[in-house]
């Protein structure tokens, strides 16, 4: 077995272990984004929920995914280690996908709840292992994470398009029997998750002692008690998640309490820090609050934009026939793969010229791009026919613009959290960052429900105009948020002190 030092002494640009983790994560993201892209459409068209309820259900589901990411990370740190946590999460995701493949109608919330808990154990831990492949300060680390991020988006691109297209019979309709298309679509998520886990289990020996249980030092019997208690606890909590997700008012109560509680806990922790450290923590909280707004708008992709794609978009991009829902699910990932390296090169060039914007300005730019993208979504109303169908080309261009917003915010947000928090509160701050994402998903559901509610009992053309006007409102709010961030950047920069 290689030691961690031997692994970190790799020659060349990437360690070989990175490629194994790349493919494991790619297939897991296929599963996750494939499932995510199907949820709202399936709830509306096959569970026959009204669109307002479906938006709320979607928001609740995604909020729980991100809330559980914090919990999964905590158990990995304290009991499982990254590897066992990842494996257990993958098993739960496979079970959830299989349940949905067998009987998606009557077992919908059961399958979704298994997937929520499974993703919570899987998602935070594989990226932590990537970080362990590098020594602290290794200049190749960013390149490694960039490659890994490409794997995330490649999985999201393929899964986001293929699963919904199979379910809607836009793909493979000649070989899938009528009535089984959704079983196959959900089953695909299970198959690729099996590939993800096999990739990991067959290559994990190369990881040396990275990701092993932090309880190696205690007696084997005692360690097994902790581990089996965690297995059992994560199974027993699934019925509670089923109730929470299927009755969104319970999710409301959770979201009303967990955020204020986490802020109070942080305030309690801040008593033991210096004024300089507390200023940085205040800056971190400002970033979190604005990230909630960003994700609330961005995550319309799974709710209201899914509905917009299904009913109000034509089915060609540059003359190529494509499923509009598949494009809505995967265009962002396509553009991230195409342009992430270019954006990174622009930042490096600006840094060399001594005028690279700091983190707060980048956050502000993210909102300006977000506003631009939603303004394009609004502008689609001027290209609509009498049937309420409009240009998929223009819609895709809207995602092109928004992608640059994501690239200004997403890769640097987590990095900013680690730089701004003292070592003692790193886990708490990262947990709050994921919790901010959960709030973003939750508010995305509320916003989508409001737009859906406003368009009830309308013709398709009237509905398109209502949705477009809703996106115009989001564009205005995003623009205001961006301007506020940029205007107040000197103040936030002072709070951040030496952190760039």
């Amino acid at each position: 077995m290689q030691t961690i030092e031997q692994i970190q002494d790799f020659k060349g640009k990437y360690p070989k272990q990175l490629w194994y983790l790349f493919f494991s994560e790619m297939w897991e993201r296929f599963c996750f984004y494939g499932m995510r892209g199907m949820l709202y459409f399936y709830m509306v068209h096959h569970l026959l929920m009204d669109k307002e309820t479906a938006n709320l259900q979607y928001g609740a589901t995604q909020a729980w995914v991100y809330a559980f990411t914090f919990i999964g990370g905590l158990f990995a740190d304290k009991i499982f280690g990254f590897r066992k946590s990842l494996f257990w999460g993958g098993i739960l995701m496979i079970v959830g996908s299989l349940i949905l493949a067998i009987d998606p109608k009557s077992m919908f919330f059961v399958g979704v709840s298994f997937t929520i808990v499974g993703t919570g154990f899987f998602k935070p831990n594989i990226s932590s292992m990537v970080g362990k492949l590098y020594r602290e300060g290794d200049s190749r680390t960013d390149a490694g994470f960039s490659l890994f991020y490409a794997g995330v988006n490649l999985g999201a691109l393929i899964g986001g398009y293929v699963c919904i297209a199979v379910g809607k019979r836009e793909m493979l309709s000649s070989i899938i029997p009528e009535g089984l298309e959704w079983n196959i679509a959900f089953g695909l998520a299970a198959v690729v998750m099996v590939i993800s886990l096999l990739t990991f289990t067959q290559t994990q020996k190369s990881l040396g002692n990275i990701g092993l249980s932090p309880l190696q030092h205690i007696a084997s019997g005692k360690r097994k008690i902790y581990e089996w208690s965690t297995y059992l606890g994560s199974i027993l909590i699934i019925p509670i998640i089923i109730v929470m997700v299927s009755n969104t008012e319970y999710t409301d109560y959770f979201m009303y309490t967990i955020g204020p509680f986490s802020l109070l806990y942080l305030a309690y922790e801040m008593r033991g820090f210096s004024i300089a450290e507390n200023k940085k923590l205040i800056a971190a909280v400002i970033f979190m609050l604005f990230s909630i707004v960003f994700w609330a708008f961005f995550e319309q992709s799974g709710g209201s934009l899914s509905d917009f794609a299904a009913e109000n978009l034509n089915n060609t991009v540059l003359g190529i026939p494509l499923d509009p829902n598949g494009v809505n699910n995967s265009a962002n990932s396509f553009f991230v793969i195409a342009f992430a390296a270019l954006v990174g090169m622009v930042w490096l060039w600006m840094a060399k010229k001594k005028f690279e914007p700091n983190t707060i300005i980048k956050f502000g730019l993210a909102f300006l791009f977000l506003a631009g993208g939603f303004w394009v979504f609004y502008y689609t109303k001027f290209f609509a026919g009498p049937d309420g169908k409009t240009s998929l080309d223009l819609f895709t261009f809207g995602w092109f613009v928004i992608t640059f917003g994501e690239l200004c915010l997403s890769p640097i947000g987590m990095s900013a959290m680690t730089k701004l928090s003292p070592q003692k509160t790193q886990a708490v701050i990262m947990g709050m960052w994921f919790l901010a994402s959960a709030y973003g998903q939750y508010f995305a559901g509320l916003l989508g429900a409001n737009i859906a509610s406003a368009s009830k009992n309308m013709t398709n053309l009237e509905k398109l105009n209502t949705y477009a006007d809703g996106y115009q409102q989001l564009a205005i709010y995003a623009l205001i948020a961006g301007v506020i961030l940029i205007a107040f950047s000197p103040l936030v920069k002072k709070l951040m002190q030496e952190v760039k």
Side-chain angles (χ1 to χ4, degrees):
M1 181 191 287
Q2 277 186 299
T3 65
I4 191 165
E5 288 78 17
Q6 288 171 322
I7 291 169
Q8 291 171 343
D9 281 337
F10 66 91
K11 301 290 184 279
K13 199 171 184 182
Y14 305 111
K16 67 177 182 180
Q17 293 85 352
L18 181 65
W19 292 102
Y20 307 148
L21 296 175
F22 172 100
F23 284 109
S24 186
E25 173 72 345
M26 184 186 84
W27 291 119
E28 185 272 338
R29 291 289 91 184
F30 180 114
C31 173
F32 177 79
Y33 281 97
M35 291 278 287
R36 172 183 172 275
M38 292 187 283
L39 288 180
Y40 178 87
F41 187 93
Y42 191 82
M43 286 189 282
V44 170
H45 295 273
H46 296 274
L47 299 183
L48 304 179
M49 291 181 190
D50 66 77
K51 291 171 183 178
E52 195 175 343
T53 303
N55 269 289
L56 293 173
Q57 298 283 186
Y58 172 80
T61 301
Q62 297 303 299
W64 279 105
V65 165
Y66 280 90
F68 249 88
T69 301
F70 175 43
I71 296 167
L74 206 61
F75 278 102
D77 279 342
K78 304 295 182 190
I79 296 172
F80 273 161
F82 301 141
R83 289 198 214 177
K84 276 187 180 168
S85 185
L86 183 151
F87 186 77
W88 178 235
I91 294 291
L92 292 175
M93 290 177 77
I94 291 166
V95 171
S97 301
L98 285 174
I99 289 169
L100 288 166
I102 293 164
D103 189 357
K105 276 200 173 173
S106 60
M107 299 291 280
F108 183 77
F109 287 113
V110 177
V112 165
S113 298
F114 267 91
T115 305
I116 286 170
V117 178
T119 305
F121 277 102
F122 192 105
K123 182 177 169 61
N125 297 307
I126 192 162
S127 51
S128 299
M129 281 192 277
V130 172
K132 297 286 184 189
L133 299 175
Y134 295 88
R135 290 186 192 282
E136 195 171 328
D138 190 328
S139 60
R140 298 170 293 182
T141 306
D142 285 351
F145 271 100
S146 294
L147 180 66
F148 185 71
Y149 197 52
V152 169
N153 282 284
L154 188 57
L157 168 65
I158 303 167
Y161 188 89
V162 169
C163 290
I164 188 84
V166 167
K168 290 175 68 180
R169 299 193 71 80
E170 299 285 342
M171 277 182 75
L172 308 180
S173 57
S174 59
I175 59 173
I176 297 173
E178 189 84 38
L180 287 180
E181 55 274 3
W182 286 101
N183 306 75
I184 299 294
F186 285 117
L188 265 176
V191 170
V192 297
M193 199 60 228
V194 170
I195 296 171
S196 172
L197 275 198
L198 284 175
T199 303
F200 181 73
T201 55
Q202 296 307 303
T203 60
Q204 64 173 324
K205 283 183 182 174
S206 70
L207 291 167
N209 60 357
I210 291 174
L212 295 178
S213 170
L215 302 180
Q216 296 288 332
H217 60 285
I218 68 170
S220 173
K222 194 175 180 184
R223 185 169 74 242
K224 281 189 165 47
I225 290 171
Y226 284 129
E227 289 176 355
W228 283 100
S229 298
T230 307
Y231 290 135
L232 183 62
S234 52
I235 294 291
L236 291 177
I237 203 167
I238 287 172
I240 299 170
I241 300 297
I242 293 169
V243 173
M244 291 281 195
V245 175
S246 56
N247 300 281
T248 54
E249 63 269 23
Y250 293 135
T251 303
D252 294 341
Y253 300 145
F254 175 77
M255 300 307 281
Y256 295 156
T257 54
I258 189 69
F261 175 79
S262 65
L263 287 172
L264 286 171
Y265 178 75
L266 181 63
Y268 172 78
E269 288 277 359
M270 286 168 75
R271 294 181 315 150
F273 296 132
S274 67
I275 292 172
E277 287 172 323
N278 284 335
K279 282 180 178 178
K280 289 180 188 175
L281 286 171
I282 291 167
V285 171
I286 291 169
F287 284 126
M288 288 175 203
L289 294 174
F290 275 93
S291 78
I292 292 172
V293 179
F294 185 90
W295 296 120
F297 294 5
F298 183 94
E299 288 298 333
Q300 292 305 305
S301 59
S304 70
L305 284 169
S306 175
D307 191 47
F308 189 72
E311 298 184 15
N312 295 106
L313 293 176
N314 297 321
N315 64 347
T316 60
V317 176
L318 301 176
I320 303 165
L322 290 172
D323 174 55
N325 282 100
V327 172
N328 176 52
N329 290 344
S330 58
N332 170 243
S333 295
F334 175 81
F335 292 130
V336 167
I337 293 167
F339 294 103
L342 179 64
V343 170
M345 285 162 63
V346 169
W347 295 143
L348 287 172
W349 176 78
M350 293 177 84
K352 278 183 184 174
K353 299 289 182 183
K354 304 282 193 257
F355 65 96
E356 183 191 7
N358 60 35
T359 300
I360 191 77
I361 297 286
K362 286 178 183 176
F363 259 63
L365 290 172
F367 278 94
L368 299 186
F369 281 116
L370 185 68
F374 272 94
W375 190 265
V376 174
F377 293 153
Y378 158 70
Y379 212 72
T380 58
K381 70 186 281 186
F382 300 110
F383 292 80
D387 60 352
K389 298 268 189 179
T390 188
S391 167
L392 183 56
D393 287 312
L394 195 58
F395 181 83
T396 306
F397 179 68
W399 272 118
F400 171 77
V401 176
I402 288 173
T403 297
F404 287 95
E406 186 196 359
L407 290 171
C408 286
L409 182 139
S410 187
I412 62 166
M414 205 173 285
S415 171
M417 294 303 107
T418 59
K419 291 174 187 172
L420 291 168
S421 57
Q423 194 63 39
K424 188 184 166 190
T425 56
Q426 289 234 326
V428 173
I429 291 296
M430 289 311 297
M432 289 179 69
W433 177 255
F434 282 123
L435 199 57
S437 297
Y439 271 94
Q441 307 284 342
Y442 173 70
F443 287 122
L446 296 179
L447 287 171
N450 286 337
I451 296 172
S453 174
S455 65
K456 270 184 181 173
N457 306 316
M458 288 182 171
T459 66
N460 211 36
L461 183 59
E462 289 170 334
K463 187 174 87 67
L464 179 141
N465 286 320
T466 301
Y467 271 59
D469 291 343
Y471 299 142
Q472 183 189 32
Q473 289 295 309
L474 296 186
I476 293 167
Y477 295 144
L479 178 64
I480 292 168
V483 170
I484 289 171
L485 267 169
I486 292 169
F488 283 91
S489 62
L491 176 64
V492 182
K493 196 176 174 185
K494 278 185 182 175
L495 291 172
M496 294 171 72
Q497 297 154 80
E498 79 283 357
V499 175
K500 301 293 183 188

